[in-house]
Amino acid sequence: HLDSAAYYYDKAIRIFPEYKEAWYQLGEVYLAQKRTTDAARAFSESLHIDPHFEPALDGAKRLKNFKYE
């Protein structure tokens, strides 16, 4: 299901690149998949649009402390 979610968030971003929530959610999907480089980019894009967007700030913070299991 995560691949499907990533696909649809990516489609939304292609239609509306300033969709900060989609960038954030894509970051969450990538983090769940342990794709940390992609997650960092997605959170960064969300924060580029809105530097005060709390969910993306939290996601970036969790990513910084991410540990592979």
Side-chain angles (χ1 to χ4, degrees):
H1 296 111
L2 291 175
D3 288 334
S4 181
Y7 171 80
Y8 286 106
Y9 287 128
D10 186 62
K11 281 188 75 113
I13 290 164
R14 288 175 190 267
I15 294 167
F16 182 50
E18 299 297 307
Y19 191 4
K20 69 183 178 187
E21 292 87 353
W23 279 112
Y24 159 71
Q25 291 294 344
L26 186 58
E28 290 292 344
V29 169
Y30 288 152
L31 189 57
Q33 293 176 323
K34 297 181 172 66
R35 294 172 56 183
T36 55
T37 301
D38 293 327
R41 179 178 175 266
F43 290 141
S44 177
E45 289 290 338
S46 182
L47 291 169
H48 177 74
I49 297 162
D50 179 358
H52 305 290
F53 185 48
E54 276 302 318
L57 288 168
D58 180 62
K61 184 177 180 181
R62 284 184 289 111
L63 178 61
K64 187 175 180 180
N65 297 320
F66 183 79
K67 304 224 182 338
Y68 289 94
E69 296 176 3

